[in-house]
Amino acid sequence: MKLFDTHAHLSDKRFDDDLDDVIKKLKESQVFRVVDVCCHVKDVKRTLDLTKKHDFIYGALGMHPHEASDVTEKTLYDMEGLLKKNDKLIALGEIGLDYHYDFSPRDVQKKWFIEQLELAISLNLPVILHIREAFSDCMEILRAHKKGLFGVMHCYSGSYETARDCIDMGLYIAFGGAVTFKNARRLSDVASRLPLKRLLIETDCPYMTPEPHRGKRNDPSYVYYVAKCLAELHNRDVEEVCDITLKNGLELFSMGK
Ligand code: NI
């Protein structure tokens, strides 16, 4: 069995004290690939260091919607340089819209979301999308930019219909710990109706810890519980779900070659 955690934040300060131990445990837990997602260009060194030190860890870089107020044209220029120069930065993200927290004004979030989408398309890189309570604006923007666009809806929380629209546009849908929560009937129903060949698994660690470890710090080894939950929802073996989601992830992030 090989697990692929397609969305982790190992650079988060909550791993400062024991990161080496956490990474050692990943090898023992059959974690075969991790994408470490860097949400602000100023923090990229931590992600780059991880990708250089560990073969199986790759990186993504994007300005999170929470950070939209910090973005300038220079930020995008710097990101472009970093993405071009570093082979192990394999995606642009997480980018998107977050109307739950509204940490940056919505028009500012939209402007830089669009500019980063266009950058990803020009670099031929997949996008990692963070969309919270903003699906209507998001879909409008994605439809206007769908040519050359590919990527994943990370930590999906929308409706079945929106997920289908995303899949029709060529996107993957990623589920994390939330799908395992006992009060997540609506989300698990969505996950059960989508084709496995378009799904990815992720942790979003250190947040969103899946059952039965909810409340503890999350780490990429717990992506197993997301696979197990999807296996139950689809009436399949967990090994099969791991294989399919691994293949999907390798294909999306062009790691299969
Ligand atoms: Ni994240």
Side-chain angles (χ1 to χ4, degrees):
M1 191 170 69
K2 287 178 178 171
L3 294 158
F4 188 168
D5 181 1
T6 57
H7 193 117
H9 300 283
L10 287 170
S11 318
D12 191 280
K13 58 183 181 310
R14 288 174 70 187
F15 291 111
D16 277 357
D17 291 341
D18 63 344
L19 184 60
D20 288 342
D21 294 338
V22 169
I23 290 174
K24 208 168 130 205
K25 187 178 85 168
L26 300 187
K27 295 273 186 181
E28 292 153 15
S29 313
Q30 293 163 303
V31 176
F32 180 70
R33 285 280 188 277
V34 176
V35 177
D36 189 66
V37 179
C38 177
C39 297
H40 196 301
V41 73
K42 70 174 163 50
D43 301 325
V44 73
K45 187 175 180 303
R46 291 170 74 98
T47 295
L48 285 175
D49 286 350
L50 274 173
T51 66
K52 282 174 190 149
K53 199 167 166 196
H54 304 284
D55 281 354
F56 73 107
I57 301 180
Y58 289 71
L61 171 63
M63 292 296 285
H64 194 287
H66 290 345
E67 315 289 351
S69 297
D70 270 6
V71 186
T72 63
E73 290 296 342
K74 170 147 186 339
T75 316
L76 261 68
Y77 177 81
D78 290 347
M79 276 174 52
E80 179 172 2
L82 286 158
L83 290 161
K84 278 183 176 164
K85 201 173 74 185
N86 294 284
D87 285 349
K88 288 192 79 182
L89 290 181
I90 42 75
L92 203 154
E94 52 192 291
I95 59 172
L97 303 172
D98 193 315
Y99 294 173
H100 179 75
Y101 287 108
D102 277 326
F103 284 157
S104 296
R106 292 181 181 182
D107 56 334
V108 177
Q109 291 191 44
K110 280 199 238 179
K111 172 180 162 57
W112 295 115
F113 177 37
I114 292 169
E115 295 234 8
Q116 292 186 90
L117 278 179
E118 288 172 350
L119 177 61
I121 293 167
S122 77
L123 295 172
N124 196 28
L125 285 174
V127 288
I128 298 173
L129 301 170
H130 170 110
I131 308 298
R132 197 154 174 208
E133 294 173 23
F135 283 100
S136 163
D137 281 2
C138 166
M139 295 311 284
E140 194 182 311
I141 289 170
L142 293 181
R143 272 188 210 103
H145 294 83
K146 64 182 176 193
K147 194 159 175 281
L149 179 74
F150 62 115
V152 53
M153 276 282 186
H154 132 74
C155 198
Y156 188 70
S157 60
S159 68
Y160 172 75
E161 289 72 21
T162 301
R164 288 282 2 163
D165 287 349
C166 291
I167 289 172
D168 290 346
M169 236 182 263
L171 298 171
Y172 286 89
I173 306 290
F175 289 99
V179 77
T180 70
F181 297 168
K182 292 189 173 69
N183 57 358
R185 282 267 309 276
R186 191 189 63 81
L187 193 60
S188 55
D189 176 64
V190 173
S192 73
R193 293 161 66 197
L194 296 172
L196 284 171
K197 67 174 191 299
R198 299 307 299 175
L199 302 189
L200 299 177
I201 54 175
E202 61 167 55
T203 58
D204 205 13
C205 66
Y207 315 103
M208 297 291 270
T209 312
E211 295 286 0
H213 294 291
R214 200 173 174 185
K216 285 201 249 171
R217 182 187 67 180
N218 199 1
D219 76 59
S221 69
Y222 290 164
V223 78
Y224 170 79
Y225 297 101
V226 179
K228 188 166 164 275
C229 174
L230 289 182
E232 282 160 13
L233 291 171
H234 282 260
N235 251 322
R236 307 282 269 273
D237 294 334
V238 64
E239 288 79 8
E240 207 181 345
V241 170
C242 292
D243 284 352
I244 296 169
T245 53
L246 171 69
K247 191 170 154 282
N248 294 345
L250 294 176
E251 194 174 294
L252 173 63
F253 297 114
S254 300
M255 294 172 185
K257 293 156 203 155

